[in-house]
Amino acid sequence: EIVLTQSPGTLSLSPGETATLSCRASQSVSSSTLAWYRQKPGQAPRLLIYGSSSRATGIPDRFSGSGSGTDFTLTISRLEPEDFAVYYCQQYGSSGGTFGQGTKVEIK
Amino acid sequence: EVQLVQSGAEVKKPGESLKISCKASGYSFTSYWIDWVRQMPGKGLEWMGSIYPGDSDTRYSPSFQGQVTISADRSSGTAYLQWSSLQASDTAMYYCARLTFVYYDFWGHGTLVTVSS
């Protein structure tokens, strides 16, 4: 079973700054199976990035994903108020869906 | 427009049974897997299992195998998650989500299940 470990647990930043979130897999995964989601308080998660680097419909280009093998990154440029939320990486394989434990981006 | 509309919040006692629903619209219900995801209070997302309504193929996470039952009704375009005997530890928000290839492109709004004596 693949385990996804996200870091840091919490990121304290100011609006306008850049957030860099990491997702590390316990074994190599296909980049086509790695996705990122944002969950605002009281809301369902929303797909941001799929295939490790493709933006979902309606997602601004401030969001970018990269990585391969075991190390993946979500970068959020020019943080806006709605970006302060929890972010999850997710990988789908033979064992079904696996989520990282989440990174909270909070206002500094 | 793709929509997944989940049933309303539930308050149950330990030992009671429960079936929550996720009604799909705006796409071919039988052509996509529907997954269920648990989120315990203040915690992260956990994959519970999946169903392919086209042939009712069902898969479960080992953590949830035998604890819940996932089903679907093709005639109404609705997926279900049920428990035969709830425990306090089942208190959580439950989301259904459509699986497209290997990612979840549409989510329901969630059903809050509270189990308390």
Side-chain angles (χ1 to χ4, degrees):
Chain A
E1 179 188 341
I2 293 174
V3 176
L4 299 178
T5 302
Q6 293 186 239
S7 61
T10 302
L11 202 49
S12 298
L13 295 167
S14 300
E17 292 192 302
T18 295
T20 303
L21 287 66
S22 173
C23 176
R24 177 162 291 177
S26 58
Q27 57 187 277
S28 182
V29 302
S30 169
S31 58
S32 66
T33 66
L34 199 287
W36 290 91
Y37 303 83
R38 175 179 65 188
Q39 186 177 33
K40 298 178 185 179
Q43 295 187 18
R46 180 182 179 181
L47 178 67
L48 300 173
I49 299 288
Y50 63 94
S52 79
S53 61
S54 298
R55 279 186 299 277
T57 302
I59 302 302
D61 60 7
R62 300 184 294 103
F63 292 86
S64 62
S66 64
S68 63
T70 60
D71 291 299
F72 298 88
T73 300
L74 174 69
T75 302
I76 313 168
S77 304
R78 306 181 302 280
L79 281 166
E80 295 193 3
E82 66 264 27
D83 298 333
F84 293 93
V86 180
Y87 292 81
Y88 295 95
C89 59
Q90 174 254 326
Q91 189 272 340
Y92 206 97
S94 58
S95 302
T98 301
F99 292 91
Q101 82 278 19
T103 290
K104 181 179 181 180
V105 178
E106 65 175 21
I107 298 178
K108 187 174 181 181
Chain B
E1 178 193 8
V2 174
Q3 284 192 309
L4 298 174
V5 178
Q6 296 188 232
S7 49
E10 302 273 2
V11 179
K12 292 290 190 179
K13 291 180 167 36
E16 293 187 329
S17 63
L18 177 63
K19 192 173 188 178
I20 63 175
S21 65
C22 170
K23 183 170 176 57
S25 62
Y27 73 98
S28 173
F29 179 64
T30 55
S31 299
Y32 292 82
W33 288 82
I34 289 283
D35 286 25
W36 287 93
V37 176
R38 183 176 78 173
Q39 187 168 40
M40 300 179 76
K43 302 299 183 182
L45 305 170
E46 300 174 88
W47 178 73
M48 301 178 71
S50 312
I51 188 164
Y52 188 73
D55 60 7
S56 296
D57 186 14
T58 309
R59 304 172 185 179
Y60 294 92
S61 162
S63 299
F64 294 93
Q65 180 83 48
Q67 308 305 310
V68 298
T69 301
I70 294 171
S71 60
D73 177 359
R74 285 190 289 271
S75 65
S76 64
T78 304
Y80 299 95
L81 177 65
Q82 68 180 85
W83 295 259
S84 59
S85 181
L86 286 161
Q87 303 174 34
S89 58
D90 294 316
T91 294
M93 182 72 81
Y94 294 88
Y95 294 101
C96 62
R98 188 181 83 164
L99 184 71
T100 292
F101 183 42
V102 289
Y103 51 86
Y104 303 111
D105 57 352
F106 289 94
W107 293 69
H109 53 81
T111 295
L112 180 63
V113 174
T114 303
V115 184
S116 175
S117 55

